[in-house]
Each structure stands twice: as C-alpha cells, then as structure tokens.
Amino acid sequence: MAWGPAAAAQSLKDSVRGHLHDNLEGKEKARPSKKSKKAKKPRKKRRRRHRPAGELIWSSEPDASDTSPKENLPRRVIGKYLKIDPRVGFGVRGWIAQSYPAVDVAPAAYTVWSASLKGRFFNFVNLHHGYVESSALAAPSRPSASQAAQIGALVPKAAWILGVVGIPVNRTWEPIIRYETRAFSTKATPNREIRIVPYDISTAELEAANITSGELTSSELDVTSSFETLIFAVRYDQSLSSSSVVESGGQRTPLPPLYFGVGLMEYRKPYQLVVGDSVNDRFLFSGQFRGAGLAFGFRTASKPRNFFLDFASQVGIGEVELTDGFTLNELLPADWLIGYVQGNATVGYLHPLWVGPPTLFLSAELSGGGATFFYVETAVEEGEQIQAPLLNWDFLGGANIALTMTF
C-alpha cells in the first residue's frame, strides 16, 4: 500500500477500516467484533456529548427566567454587603379617641409626609425600620395634656417616629431594639362644666372633699395624646431572609421572621375616670398610662410584586397615674389589677416602577392599631366568669403611598 502505518493517521485509518468492515463482506469479516468496538467508541462519545448538551439546555430554563425583571429585582449599585433603601411618601393618619358623656372628643384626620430608611450594613447591623412621619416639622405638644384651645396655623397635629435596629449573631437569631413614639392633637368639646385637674396638684387638695384648684370650663379644648413604646427582643428568622431591605428571594418556610421579648410603654392623654360603662364626669385628668409585659411581632419579607405584613404587639400589667404620685392601682379593691394590650398592623404592596439600577418601587400601605387598658379580677370563684371592665381605649389608622429607591 502507498499509505504507511503512520501514528498521526491512526484514527483516520481506524475510521476507514471500520466503515469497510461494516459494509463489505470478505476474509476480514471474521474480525468485525474487534473493529466494531473501535468504531462504536466515537458513537458512544458522541452520545455522551449530547447528554450534557441536553442537560445544559434543560438547566438553562430557570436561568432564563431568573433574568426577568420579576426575579432579578432589586438591582443595586453599591453591593451585597451594603444595602440601603431610602423612602419618601405622603398619606393620611387618623385618630379615634375615647369620648366621655361630658366631653365629646372629635375623630381627627391628618395629612402627613413621611421619610424612612432601611439598610443592611456588612452583615453586622440591620436597620429594619427608621421612620419619621408628621403633619409639620415638629411633634404636637402642650404644657399640659389639656387646655383651652389656642392653635396656630403651623402647629403640627400628628407625628410618628419609629426605629428598629438588630445585630445578627448568626443566620437565624438576631437581638433587636424597637422604639416608637406617636403624638396626636385634636379638639374636645365639654357639654357641661368640668374641672381640669392639674397634674401637679398637692396632696392636701387631692384629699379635700371638693377640689378647688384647676380650671372649671365648658369651652372647647385642645387635647393631645401620646404613645411611647420600647421593646427588647430576639428575632428568629428560619427563612434566612434579613427582611430589613427589599429582596428578590422569597421565604423558604411558611413561618415568617418573628420576634419575642419584653416591652415597656407609656401613654398620655386627657382622661375621665372610666369603669366599664360608668364614668366620673366631674373631672378631667392628665392621665398617664404605663405598662410592662411581653412583646411579639413579625414582618414578612418585602418582595417585588408581592404583599407584605408587619405586626407588633404588647400585652402586660399596667399602671394609671391621674396626678403626680396618685395612681388608680393603689385604690383598686383586693384581687384586682390593671392590664393592657397595645398593637399595630400594616399591610402593603410593593410594585417596581423602574428597573434601574437603582430600582425604584412604589408602595401602598394601610395600617391600624391602638391601645386599651382594662381592669382584671384575679380571684374568681368556680363557675364565675373573669371580669375585665374597660378603662380606656384609642384607635389609630392610616394610609400611605411612598417611593423607595434601592441602592
């Protein structure tokens, strides 16, 4: 033959030889098994090459969907170790305060602006919520809890400040501190003469048969109510989602990130003594309500094109101070105490307006909550129901539209 057994042409020769032995009969036909094996090897290799190719095509389907705006948001400009979500918005805030037979407290609604910031800083600190809301540039306040109305055009009627900070110790547990303060101002109209009892009244006047200090009035009053809460808690996140900023990933478990701990609260408002349906309508106090108890709450992850829910609550034992050093607790019958429940819930929806980066979101929120204090009978005989007459209540609600930018 003219062709020699060159090693460089070995693969070509084998290919030609295999093709001949597969298609021709002759004396070489006794050797097809050996040759056919060699001929089949490239076919097997080709089949192996096709399988990975098929696998790549199959696994690329979710990758293609991941590039869609829904799955790939938010798009950030800083990086994964520093995430910042500033937000600005406006809305309305409502306060429905408890009215009394002698004093009609008008429901109030306020137009408010809001600014907030959420962030995750190098996995060391989570700013779950930094929030400021007001109808002006300062919080409503008065020298006393109630007085004759002298309201200027620039006096704010509503303000709200909220801060929630956490320090993760691992991917599941995170100690947090939550501080919140709210203040609201509205009008109250007495329908008969009442005496406004000053908070700093002397002990002698307090024990007198007829209190003579304080203003006796039937004029319209400007009333201010304020809430202040402080929570020390531990946050548990089984889904491994920070929930402090907008994330594209969803929760991996049906249990949302939640916290539990201890809470303190202080609550001030003009107050007439209430025991269930019975009201002492002669006096209007600058009531100060305090409480300590258990705190619980949760917030679902903020995801694009999804609803989210934020819930915070406290329940515990309370104290009601009518004047400086004079509390209702010290006059309660035996086996009675004061309890309280306080909470707030917010539901909202997050919609992307601009992909970015940075991504711009539009959110709409509805919120509602409040506080109530009540008397509790601790010693109940068998067969009797526990009595819990109402002492005080207030309801707060609002709606907000905001723009969030994810950096």
Side-chain angles (χ1 to χ4, degrees), residues 41-176:
K41 287 182 180 179
R43 295 175 187 172
K44 291 180 180 179
K45 290 179 181 179
R46 284 195 296 272
R47 285 195 296 270
R48 291 192 190 101
R49 286 194 295 269
H50 286 313
R51 287 192 188 105
E55 292 174 0
L56 287 174
I57 293 173
W58 174 81
S59 63
S60 66
E61 293 178 359
D63 292 338
S65 65
D66 287 344
T67 59
S68 67
K70 178 178 180 180
E71 298 295 332
N72 210 30
L73 297 180
R75 297 182 180 178
R76 300 184 178 275
V77 297
I78 298 179
K80 64 179 182 178
Y81 295 110
L82 181 60
K83 301 177 181 180
I84 301 176
D85 293 355
R87 189 184 82 158
V88 293
F90 69 93
V92 294
R93 182 66 55 186
W95 173 36
I96 301 177
Q98 182 180 17
S99 291
Y100 310 101
V103 182
D104 182 24
V105 181
Y110 324 91
T111 301
V112 295
W113 60 265
S114 64
S116 68
L117 180 67
K118 296 183 179 182
R120 186 169 177 86
F121 305 94
F122 304 98
N123 295 326
F124 296 134
V125 176
N126 283 334
L127 178 59
H128 290 281
H129 214 158
Y131 184 79
V132 177
E133 175 185 286
S134 179
S135 60
L137 299 178
S141 61
R142 291 291 180 273
S144 62
S146 60
Q147 65 179 37
Q150 297 291 335
I151 302 178
L154 300 179
V155 173
K157 304 295 181 62
W160 187 355
I161 298 175
L162 170 65
V164 184
V165 179
I167 301 177
V169 295
N170 54 42
R171 299 185 68 184
T172 305
W173 296 98
E174 178 185 3
I176 65 169

Side-chain angles (χ1 to χ4, degrees), residues 198-201 203 206 286 288 290 321-327:
Y199 178 74
D200 56 354
I201 187 174
T203 303
L206 186 63
S286 299
Q288 301 198 23
R290 303 185 185 93
E321 189 176 44
L322 299 180
T323 65
D324 189 12
F326 170 48
T327 67

Side-chain angles (χ1 to χ4, degrees), residues 191-209:
N191 55 41
R192 70 191 73 164
E193 283 196 337
I194 59 172
R195 190 175 295 279
I196 299 176
V197 180
Y199 178 74
D200 56 354
I201 187 174
S202 67
T203 303
E205 288 178 308
L206 186 63
E207 294 178 351

Side-chain angles (χ1 to χ4, degrees), residues 178 235 256-259 296-300 309-313 344:
R178 177 188 176 103
R235 182 174 177 273
L258 56 87
Y259 69 82
F296 169 79
F298 65 88
R299 180 183 174 90
T300 59
L309 175 63
D310 189 351
F311 175 78
S313 65
N344 189 78

Side-chain angles (χ1 to χ4, degrees), residues 268-288:
R268 302 181 182 184
K269 62 172 291 184
Y271 178 68
Q272 289 196 301
L273 182 58
V274 175
V275 182
D277 296 329
S278 178
V279 181
N280 184 335
D281 56 9
R282 295 175 56 199
F283 309 106
L284 184 65
F285 298 94
S286 299
Q288 301 198 23

Side-chain angles (χ1 to χ4, degrees), residues 202-238:
S202 67
T203 303
E205 288 178 308
L206 186 63
E207 294 178 351
N210 295 306
I211 296 179
T212 57
S213 67
E215 179 184 0
L216 186 64
T217 183
S218 59
S219 302
E220 185 179 64
L221 303 173
D222 170 33
V223 299
T224 300
S225 179
S226 64
F227 304 80
E228 193 171 16
T229 62
L230 178 63
I231 292 175
F232 300 94
V234 176
R235 182 174 177 273
Y236 175 71
D237 184 3
Q238 192 179 15

